Amino acid sequence: VDSEQVCRNVEVQLQSFAGDWHSIWQCGEAREGEDFAYNWQVSLAQTDDQVGGRISFHACPGRGRIQYEVTGVVDPKSDTVTLEGVRRISLGPLGGNSPFRTTFTLLRLGEPDPNLDPVHDLAIAVTPLGTAVFVDEPIEYRVTVTNRGGDKAEDVEVTISPGGASWEFLSSPSDCETIGLLHVICQVGSLGPGQSASFFFALVPTSSGEMQTVIRVDAAGSDFIQGSNDRTVKVAVIEAP
């Protein structure tokens, strides 16, 4: 058997990178379908092993936009494609700090590497270990902070603000500090993309009523989706029988 002839007859299956995809972080001032409607967008066409199109970045709100015209060749042995980019649109601070030429690596439907405007996106989840308690009975809460973005979040801190029924703090991590009689601030540190951190704290209500505790997470720099940064947890406090 002529092995060389057999190899020539085997059809090479190329990965398809054609399509349009984007970040989950949408820019409020852009419309769906625009090149800058999201924090990053990829729009590619492919003919055989030749790939070309656009990669756009939008540092919204108001920090600039850039767009690269990209071309590359698909390697049948790789699940990524390497694209050479030339900047065609450059606006604002992001444009002023971006390279004129750069090389991107892409997985199908993946985030461009490098992402020229990565953002952190913190989200907080709070679970009270109980929905109703008696006066002078502890309420314990579990707090989990997650970085859902593509950039590292620095100086992450959680602010705990109980309200409604009067209360006293029973316990919290050693890196938490009581601020007056209204708040406790807990230092979480840094969270990389996809990382989470959890801790517990406990309150003791000293009067009956509804205790409404607001827990908020913040970090250095701007957080892309502010709506996921705080939670209000309500617990009913009743007099002991």
Side-chain angles (χ1 to χ4, degrees), residues 114-175:
N115 181 344
L116 296 180
D117 184 47
V119 294
H120 66 254
D121 176 34
L122 296 175
I124 193 164
V126 183
T127 305
L129 306 184
T131 56
V133 297
F134 295 123
V135 174
D136 296 327
E137 182 178 281
I139 310 171
E140 190 172 26
Y141 300 80
R142 184 176 190 267
V143 177
T144 300
V145 179
T146 303
N147 181 5
R148 304 183 303 188
D151 193 25
K152 185 177 184 180
E154 303 276 7
D155 301 326
V156 180
E157 64 179 27
V158 173
T159 302
I160 303 164
S161 305
S166 57
W167 53 273
E168 295 176 353
F169 266 94
L170 178 64
S171 64
S172 59
S174 58
D175 48 5

Short mmCIF file of all heavy atoms in Angstrom, two decimals, residues 114-175:
data_model
loop_
_atom_site.label_atom_id
_atom_site.label_comp_id
_atom_site.label_asym_id
_atom_site.label_seq_id
_atom_site.Cartn_x
_atom_site.Cartn_y
_atom_site.Cartn_z
N PRO A 114 -4.29 38.38 23.93
CA PRO A 114 -4.66 39.09 25.17
C PRO A 114 -5.99 39.82 25.06
O PRO A 114 -6.38 40.25 23.97
CB PRO A 114 -3.52 40.10 25.32
CG PRO A 114 -3.13 40.41 23.89
CD PRO A 114 -3.25 39.11 23.15
N ASN A 115 -6.66 39.93 26.21
CA ASN A 115 -7.81 40.82 26.32
C ASN A 115 -7.26 42.20 26.67
O ASN A 115 -6.69 42.39 27.74
CB ASN A 115 -8.76 40.32 27.41
CG ASN A 115 -9.99 41.19 27.55
OD1 ASN A 115 -10.04 42.32 27.08
ND2 ASN A 115 -11.00 40.67 28.24
N LEU A 116 -7.43 43.15 25.76
CA LEU A 116 -6.79 44.46 25.95
C LEU A 116 -7.55 45.37 26.91
O LEU A 116 -7.10 46.46 27.21
CB LEU A 116 -6.62 45.15 24.59
CG LEU A 116 -5.68 44.40 23.64
CD1 LEU A 116 -5.55 45.15 22.32
CD2 LEU A 116 -4.30 44.19 24.25
N ASP A 117 -8.71 44.93 27.39
CA ASP A 117 -9.40 45.68 28.44
C ASP A 117 -10.10 44.71 29.38
O ASP A 117 -11.32 44.63 29.43
CB ASP A 117 -10.42 46.66 27.86
CG ASP A 117 -11.07 47.51 28.96
OD1 ASP A 117 -10.33 48.03 29.81
OD2 ASP A 117 -12.30 47.62 28.99
N PRO A 118 -9.33 43.91 30.15
CA PRO A 118 -9.96 42.98 31.08
C PRO A 118 -10.63 43.72 32.23
O PRO A 118 -10.19 44.81 32.61
CB PRO A 118 -8.79 42.12 31.58
CG PRO A 118 -7.61 43.03 31.46
CD PRO A 118 -7.86 43.87 30.24
N VAL A 119 -11.69 43.17 32.76
CA VAL A 119 -12.39 43.78 33.89
C VAL A 119 -12.63 42.72 34.96
O VAL A 119 -12.71 41.53 34.66
CB VAL A 119 -13.76 44.38 33.46
CG1 VAL A 119 -13.58 45.55 32.52
CG2 VAL A 119 -14.64 43.31 32.81
N HIS A 120 -12.71 43.16 36.21
CA HIS A 120 -13.20 42.25 37.24
C HIS A 120 -14.70 42.46 37.41
O HIS A 120 -15.22 43.53 37.10
CB HIS A 120 -12.44 42.43 38.56
CG HIS A 120 -12.66 43.74 39.25
ND1 HIS A 120 -11.71 44.75 39.27
CD2 HIS A 120 -13.72 44.24 39.93
CE1 HIS A 120 -12.17 45.78 39.95
NE2 HIS A 120 -13.40 45.49 40.36
N ASP A 121 -15.37 41.45 37.85
CA ASP A 121 -16.82 41.52 38.07
C ASP A 121 -17.13 40.71 39.32
O ASP A 121 -17.22 39.48 39.27
CB ASP A 121 -17.58 40.98 36.86
CG ASP A 121 -19.09 40.96 37.10
OD1 ASP A 121 -19.57 41.87 37.80
OD2 ASP A 121 -19.77 40.03 36.63
N LEU A 122 -17.28 41.41 40.44
CA LEU A 122 -17.51 40.74 41.72
C LEU A 122 -19.00 40.49 41.93
O LEU A 122 -19.85 41.32 41.60
CB LEU A 122 -16.96 41.58 42.86
CG LEU A 122 -15.44 41.77 42.85
CD1 LEU A 122 -15.02 42.71 43.97
CD2 LEU A 122 -14.72 40.43 42.98
N ALA A 123 -19.30 39.34 42.51
CA ALA A 123 -20.67 39.00 42.88
C ALA A 123 -20.65 38.45 44.30
O ALA A 123 -19.69 37.77 44.69
CB ALA A 123 -21.27 37.98 41.92
N ILE A 124 -21.69 38.73 45.06
CA ILE A 124 -21.74 38.29 46.45
C ILE A 124 -22.99 37.45 46.68
O ILE A 124 -24.06 37.75 46.14
CB ILE A 124 -21.68 39.49 47.43
CG1 ILE A 124 -21.42 39.02 48.86
CG2 ILE A 124 -22.94 40.34 47.34
CD1 ILE A 124 -20.96 40.12 49.79
N ALA A 125 -22.83 36.39 47.44
CA ALA A 125 -23.96 35.54 47.84
C ALA A 125 -23.94 35.44 49.36
O ALA A 125 -22.87 35.26 49.96
CB ALA A 125 -23.84 34.16 47.21
N VAL A 126 -25.11 35.56 49.97
CA VAL A 126 -25.22 35.54 51.43
C VAL A 126 -26.31 34.55 51.83
O VAL A 126 -27.43 34.61 51.31
CB VAL A 126 -25.55 36.93 52.00
CG1 VAL A 126 -25.58 36.88 53.53
CG2 VAL A 126 -24.55 37.96 51.51
N THR A 127 -25.98 33.66 52.74
CA THR A 127 -26.94 32.66 53.22
C THR A 127 -27.06 32.74 54.73
O THR A 127 -26.08 32.45 55.44
CB THR A 127 -26.51 31.25 52.82
OG1 THR A 127 -26.31 31.19 51.41
CG2 THR A 127 -27.57 30.23 53.23
N PRO A 128 -28.23 33.15 55.27
CA PRO A 128 -28.41 33.08 56.72
C PRO A 128 -28.72 31.64 57.11
O PRO A 128 -29.47 30.94 56.42
CB PRO A 128 -29.61 33.99 56.96
CG PRO A 128 -30.40 33.93 55.69
CD PRO A 128 -29.41 33.70 54.58
N LEU A 129 -28.10 31.17 58.18
CA LEU A 129 -28.34 29.80 58.63
C LEU A 129 -29.56 29.79 59.56
O LEU A 129 -29.47 29.56 60.76
CB LEU A 129 -27.09 29.24 59.31
CG LEU A 129 -25.82 29.33 58.46
CD1 LEU A 129 -24.64 28.67 59.17
CD2 LEU A 129 -26.04 28.70 57.10
N GLY A 130 -30.71 30.08 58.95
CA GLY A 130 -31.97 30.18 59.70
C GLY A 130 -32.77 31.37 59.19
O GLY A 130 -32.20 32.36 58.73
N THR A 131 -34.09 31.28 59.25
CA THR A 131 -34.96 32.36 58.75
C THR A 131 -35.68 33.10 59.87
O THR A 131 -36.26 34.15 59.64
CB THR A 131 -36.00 31.80 57.77
OG1 THR A 131 -36.74 30.76 58.42
CG2 THR A 131 -35.32 31.23 56.53
N ALA A 132 -35.65 32.55 61.09
CA ALA A 132 -36.30 33.22 62.24
C ALA A 132 -35.56 32.81 63.51
O ALA A 132 -35.17 31.65 63.67
CB ALA A 132 -37.77 32.84 62.33
N VAL A 133 -35.37 33.78 64.41
CA VAL A 133 -34.67 33.50 65.66
C VAL A 133 -35.35 34.26 66.79
O VAL A 133 -36.16 35.17 66.56
CB VAL A 133 -33.18 33.92 65.60
CG1 VAL A 133 -32.44 33.14 64.53
CG2 VAL A 133 -33.07 35.41 65.34
N PHE A 134 -34.98 33.89 68.00
CA PHE A 134 -35.45 34.62 69.19
C PHE A 134 -34.47 35.74 69.52
O PHE A 134 -33.30 35.71 69.14
CB PHE A 134 -35.58 33.68 70.39
CG PHE A 134 -36.63 32.63 70.22
CD1 PHE A 134 -36.31 31.28 70.33
CD2 PHE A 134 -37.95 32.98 69.95
CE1 PHE A 134 -37.27 30.31 70.19
CE2 PHE A 134 -38.92 32.01 69.79
CZ PHE A 134 -38.58 30.67 69.91
N VAL A 135 -34.96 36.73 70.26
CA VAL A 135 -34.10 37.78 70.79
C VAL A 135 -32.98 37.14 71.61
O VAL A 135 -33.20 36.17 72.35
CB VAL A 135 -34.92 38.77 71.65
CG1 VAL A 135 -34.00 39.78 72.32
CG2 VAL A 135 -35.96 39.47 70.80
N ASP A 136 -31.78 37.68 71.48
CA ASP A 136 -30.58 37.21 72.16
C ASP A 136 -30.10 35.84 71.69
O ASP A 136 -29.26 35.20 72.33
CB ASP A 136 -30.77 37.18 73.69
CG ASP A 136 -30.99 38.57 74.26
OD1 ASP A 136 -30.42 39.54 73.71
OD2 ASP A 136 -31.75 38.69 75.24
N GLU A 137 -30.61 35.38 70.55
CA GLU A 137 -30.17 34.11 69.95
C GLU A 137 -29.33 34.43 68.71
O GLU A 137 -29.75 35.22 67.86
CB GLU A 137 -31.38 33.26 69.57
CG GLU A 137 -31.03 31.90 68.99
CD GLU A 137 -32.29 31.10 68.70
OE1 GLU A 137 -32.85 30.53 69.64
OE2 GLU A 137 -32.71 31.06 67.52
N PRO A 138 -28.15 33.84 68.57
CA PRO A 138 -27.27 34.21 67.45
C PRO A 138 -27.86 33.86 66.08
O PRO A 138 -28.56 32.85 65.92
CB PRO A 138 -26.00 33.39 67.71
CG PRO A 138 -26.06 33.01 69.15
CD PRO A 138 -27.52 32.87 69.49
N ILE A 139 -27.56 34.70 65.09
CA ILE A 139 -27.84 34.42 63.69
C ILE A 139 -26.50 34.32 62.98
O ILE A 139 -25.70 35.26 63.02
CB ILE A 139 -28.66 35.55 63.02
CG1 ILE A 139 -29.89 35.91 63.85
CG2 ILE A 139 -29.06 35.16 61.61
CD1 ILE A 139 -30.60 37.16 63.34
N GLU A 140 -26.26 33.20 62.32
CA GLU A 140 -25.00 33.03 61.59
C GLU A 140 -25.25 33.18 60.10
O GLU A 140 -26.27 32.73 59.56
CB GLU A 140 -24.38 31.66 61.89
CG GLU A 140 -22.95 31.54 61.35
CD GLU A 140 -22.26 30.26 61.79
OE1 GLU A 140 -22.96 29.27 62.09
OE2 GLU A 140 -21.01 30.26 61.85
N TYR A 141 -24.33 33.83 59.42
CA TYR A 141 -24.42 34.06 57.97
C TYR A 141 -23.16 33.52 57.29
O TYR A 141 -22.06 33.64 57.83
CB TYR A 141 -24.51 35.56 57.65
CG TYR A 141 -25.68 36.28 58.25
CD1 TYR A 141 -25.67 36.69 59.58
CD2 TYR A 141 -26.80 36.58 57.48
CE1 TYR A 141 -26.73 37.38 60.13
CE2 TYR A 141 -27.88 37.29 58.01
CZ TYR A 141 -27.84 37.68 59.33
OH TYR A 141 -28.90 38.37 59.87
N ARG A 142 -23.36 32.98 56.10
CA ARG A 142 -22.23 32.58 55.25
C ARG A 142 -22.16 33.52 54.06
O ARG A 142 -23.15 33.72 53.35
CB ARG A 142 -22.40 31.15 54.75
CG ARG A 142 -21.19 30.63 53.94
CD ARG A 142 -21.40 29.16 53.56
NE ARG A 142 -20.18 28.57 53.01
CZ ARG A 142 -19.90 28.52 51.72
NH1 ARG A 142 -20.75 29.03 50.84
NH2 ARG A 142 -18.78 27.96 51.30
N VAL A 143 -21.00 34.13 53.84
CA VAL A 143 -20.78 35.08 52.74
C VAL A 143 -19.79 34.48 51.76
O VAL A 143 -18.72 34.00 52.16
CB VAL A 143 -20.24 36.42 53.27
CG1 VAL A 143 -19.96 37.38 52.12
CG2 VAL A 143 -21.21 37.04 54.27
N THR A 144 -20.13 34.51 50.47
CA THR A 144 -19.22 34.05 49.42
C THR A 144 -19.08 35.15 48.38
O THR A 144 -20.08 35.65 47.85
CB THR A 144 -19.73 32.77 48.74
OG1 THR A 144 -19.84 31.73 49.72
CG2 THR A 144 -18.77 32.32 47.64
N VAL A 145 -17.85 35.53 48.08
CA VAL A 145 -17.55 36.53 47.06
C VAL A 145 -16.85 35.82 45.90
O VAL A 145 -15.91 35.06 46.12
CB VAL A 145 -16.63 37.64 47.61
CG1 VAL A 145 -16.32 38.66 46.52
CG2 VAL A 145 -17.28 38.32 48.80
N THR A 146 -17.32 36.07 44.67
CA THR A 146 -16.77 35.44 43.48
C THR A 146 -16.40 36.50 42.45
O THR A 146 -17.16 37.44 42.23
CB THR A 146 -17.77 34.46 42.85
OG1 THR A 146 -18.14 33.47 43.82
CG2 THR A 146 -17.18 33.75 41.63
N ASN A 147 -15.23 36.35 41.84
CA ASN A 147 -14.82 37.22 40.74
C ASN A 147 -15.20 36.53 39.43
O ASN A 147 -14.55 35.58 39.01
CB ASN A 147 -13.32 37.48 40.79
CG ASN A 147 -12.86 38.41 39.67
OD1 ASN A 147 -13.65 38.94 38.91
ND2 ASN A 147 -11.56 38.60 39.58
N ARG A 148 -16.26 37.03 38.77
CA ARG A 148 -16.74 36.42 37.54
C ARG A 148 -16.10 37.05 36.30
O ARG A 148 -16.45 36.68 35.18
CB ARG A 148 -18.26 36.57 37.44
CG ARG A 148 -19.01 35.99 38.65
CD ARG A 148 -20.49 36.09 38.48
NE ARG A 148 -20.92 37.46 38.25
CZ ARG A 148 -22.20 37.85 38.23
NH1 ARG A 148 -23.15 36.96 38.41
NH2 ARG A 148 -22.51 39.11 38.02
N GLY A 149 -15.19 38.00 36.50
CA GLY A 149 -14.60 38.72 35.37
C GLY A 149 -13.30 38.10 34.90
O GLY A 149 -12.86 37.05 35.38
N GLY A 150 -12.66 38.78 33.94
CA GLY A 150 -11.43 38.28 33.36
C GLY A 150 -10.17 38.93 33.91
O GLY A 150 -9.07 38.63 33.44
N ASP A 151 -10.32 39.81 34.91
CA ASP A 151 -9.16 40.49 35.48
C ASP A 151 -9.12 40.26 36.98
O ASP A 151 -10.16 40.02 37.62
CB ASP A 151 -9.24 41.99 35.16
CG ASP A 151 -7.92 42.70 35.43
OD1 ASP A 151 -6.87 42.04 35.39
OD2 ASP A 151 -7.95 43.92 35.68
N LYS A 152 -7.94 40.38 37.54
CA LYS A 152 -7.77 40.21 38.98
C LYS A 152 -8.40 41.38 39.72
O LYS A 152 -8.25 42.54 39.32
CB LYS A 152 -6.29 40.12 39.31
CG LYS A 152 -5.97 39.82 40.76
CD LYS A 152 -4.47 39.69 40.94
CE LYS A 152 -4.10 39.30 42.37
NZ LYS A 152 -2.63 39.17 42.53
N ALA A 153 -9.14 41.11 40.79
CA ALA A 153 -9.73 42.14 41.64
C ALA A 153 -8.83 42.34 42.86
O ALA A 153 -8.53 41.39 43.58
CB ALA A 153 -11.13 41.75 42.08
N GLU A 154 -8.38 43.59 43.06
CA GLU A 154 -7.47 43.91 44.16
C GLU A 154 -8.23 44.64 45.27
O GLU A 154 -9.22 45.32 45.03
CB GLU A 154 -6.34 44.81 43.66
CG GLU A 154 -5.53 44.23 42.50
CD GLU A 154 -4.42 43.31 42.98
OE1 GLU A 154 -4.39 43.01 44.20
OE2 GLU A 154 -3.61 42.89 42.14
N ASP A 155 -7.72 44.50 46.51
CA ASP A 155 -8.26 45.21 47.68
C ASP A 155 -9.76 44.96 47.83
O ASP A 155 -10.55 45.88 48.03
CB ASP A 155 -7.99 46.72 47.56
CG ASP A 155 -6.52 47.04 47.46
OD1 ASP A 155 -5.71 46.32 48.07
OD2 ASP A 155 -6.16 48.00 46.74
N VAL A 156 -10.14 43.70 47.75
CA VAL A 156 -11.56 43.33 47.88
C VAL A 156 -11.96 43.42 49.36
O VAL A 156 -11.25 42.92 50.24
CB VAL A 156 -11.80 41.91 47.36
CG1 VAL A 156 -13.28 41.54 47.50
CG2 VAL A 156 -11.36 41.79 45.91
N GLU A 157 -13.08 44.09 49.63
CA GLU A 157 -13.57 44.18 50.99
C GLU A 157 -15.08 44.06 51.02
O GLU A 157 -15.77 44.43 50.06
CB GLU A 157 -13.14 45.48 51.68
CG GLU A 157 -13.67 46.74 51.09
CD GLU A 157 -13.22 47.99 51.84
OE1 GLU A 157 -12.13 47.95 52.46
OE2 GLU A 157 -13.96 49.00 51.81
N VAL A 158 -15.58 43.50 52.11
CA VAL A 158 -17.02 43.29 52.30
C VAL A 158 -17.48 44.15 53.47
O VAL A 158 -16.87 44.12 54.55
CB VAL A 158 -17.33 41.80 52.59
CG1 VAL A 158 -18.80 41.62 52.95
CG2 VAL A 158 -16.97 40.94 51.37
N THR A 159 -18.55 44.93 53.24
CA THR A 159 -19.13 45.78 54.28
C THR A 159 -20.45 45.17 54.73
O THR A 159 -21.33 44.90 53.91
CB THR A 159 -19.37 47.21 53.77
OG1 THR A 159 -18.12 47.76 53.33
CG2 THR A 159 -19.94 48.09 54.88
N ILE A 160 -20.58 44.97 56.04
CA ILE A 160 -21.79 44.38 56.63
C ILE A 160 -22.51 45.47 57.40
O ILE A 160 -21.92 46.09 58.30
CB ILE A 160 -21.42 43.22 57.58
CG1 ILE A 160 -20.61 42.16 56.82
CG2 ILE A 160 -22.66 42.60 58.20
CD1 ILE A 160 -19.88 41.18 57.73
N SER A 161 -23.78 45.71 57.04
CA SER A 161 -24.56 46.80 57.66
C SER A 161 -25.91 46.27 58.13
O SER A 161 -26.88 46.25 57.37
CB SER A 161 -24.76 47.94 56.65
OG SER A 161 -23.53 48.40 56.13
N PRO A 162 -25.99 45.82 59.38
CA PRO A 162 -27.29 45.34 59.89
C PRO A 162 -28.23 46.52 60.16
O PRO A 162 -27.80 47.64 60.44
CB PRO A 162 -26.91 44.65 61.21
CG PRO A 162 -25.43 44.45 61.14
CD PRO A 162 -24.91 45.59 60.33
N GLY A 163 -29.53 46.27 60.07
CA GLY A 163 -30.53 47.30 60.34
C GLY A 163 -31.81 46.66 60.83
O GLY A 163 -31.97 45.44 60.85
N GLY A 164 -32.77 47.49 61.23
CA GLY A 164 -34.04 46.98 61.76
C GLY A 164 -33.90 46.73 63.24
O GLY A 164 -33.67 47.67 64.03
N ALA A 165 -34.01 45.48 63.67
CA ALA A 165 -33.88 45.13 65.07
C ALA A 165 -32.48 45.51 65.56
O ALA A 165 -31.50 45.44 64.81
CB ALA A 165 -34.11 43.64 65.27
N SER A 166 -32.37 45.94 66.82
CA SER A 166 -31.05 46.26 67.36
C SER A 166 -30.22 44.98 67.47
O SER A 166 -30.76 43.88 67.57
CB SER A 166 -31.18 46.96 68.71
OG SER A 166 -31.91 46.15 69.62
N TRP A 167 -28.91 45.12 67.48
CA TRP A 167 -28.05 43.95 67.35
C TRP A 167 -26.68 44.19 67.97
O TRP A 167 -26.31 45.32 68.26
CB TRP A 167 -27.86 43.62 65.86
CG TRP A 167 -27.39 44.82 65.08
CD1 TRP A 167 -28.17 45.78 64.51
CD2 TRP A 167 -26.04 45.23 64.86
NE1 TRP A 167 -27.39 46.75 63.93
CE2 TRP A 167 -26.09 46.45 64.12
CE3 TRP A 167 -24.80 44.68 65.18
CZ2 TRP A 167 -24.94 47.11 63.71
CZ3 TRP A 167 -23.65 45.35 64.78
CH2 TRP A 167 -23.73 46.55 64.06
N GLU A 168 -25.95 43.09 68.13
CA GLU A 168 -24.54 43.13 68.52
C GLU A 168 -23.81 42.08 67.70
O GLU A 168 -24.37 41.03 67.38
CB GLU A 168 -24.37 42.81 70.02
CG GLU A 168 -24.99 43.83 70.96
CD GLU A 168 -24.87 43.40 72.41
OE1 GLU A 168 -24.43 42.25 72.64
OE2 GLU A 168 -25.23 44.20 73.29
N PHE A 169 -22.56 42.36 67.33
CA PHE A 169 -21.77 41.36 66.64
C PHE A 169 -21.28 40.33 67.65
O PHE A 169 -20.79 40.67 68.72
CB PHE A 169 -20.58 41.99 65.92
CG PHE A 169 -20.87 42.31 64.50
CD1 PHE A 169 -21.29 43.58 64.14
CD2 PHE A 169 -20.76 41.34 63.51
CE1 PHE A 169 -21.58 43.88 62.82
CE2 PHE A 169 -21.05 41.64 62.20
CZ PHE A 169 -21.46 42.91 61.85
N LEU A 170 -21.44 39.06 67.29
CA LEU A 170 -20.97 37.98 68.13
C LEU A 170 -19.59 37.50 67.67
O LEU A 170 -18.69 37.31 68.49
CB LEU A 170 -21.96 36.80 68.12
CG LEU A 170 -21.55 35.57 68.93
CD1 LEU A 170 -21.47 35.92 70.41
CD2 LEU A 170 -22.53 34.43 68.70
N SER A 171 -19.45 37.30 66.37
CA SER A 171 -18.16 36.82 65.86
C SER A 171 -18.02 37.19 64.39
O SER A 171 -18.99 37.36 63.67
CB SER A 171 -18.06 35.30 66.01
OG SER A 171 -19.03 34.65 65.20
N SER A 172 -16.77 37.31 63.96
CA SER A 172 -16.44 37.57 62.56
C SER A 172 -14.97 37.22 62.39
O SER A 172 -14.24 37.05 63.38
CB SER A 172 -16.70 39.04 62.19
OG SER A 172 -15.93 39.90 63.01
N PRO A 173 -14.49 37.09 61.15
CA PRO A 173 -13.07 36.76 60.95
C PRO A 173 -12.16 37.82 61.56
O PRO A 173 -12.55 38.98 61.77
CB PRO A 173 -12.94 36.72 59.43
CG PRO A 173 -14.32 36.46 58.93
CD PRO A 173 -15.24 37.15 59.90
N SER A 174 -10.92 37.44 61.82
CA SER A 174 -9.96 38.34 62.47
C SER A 174 -9.63 39.55 61.61
O SER A 174 -9.19 40.58 62.14
CB SER A 174 -8.67 37.58 62.80
OG SER A 174 -8.10 37.04 61.62
N ASP A 175 -9.82 39.44 60.27
CA ASP A 175 -9.53 40.58 59.41
C ASP A 175 -10.75 41.45 59.16
O ASP A 175 -10.86 42.12 58.14
CB ASP A 175 -8.91 40.12 58.08
CG ASP A 175 -9.69 38.98 57.43
OD1 ASP A 175 -10.75 38.62 57.97
OD2 ASP A 175 -9.23 38.47 56.40
#
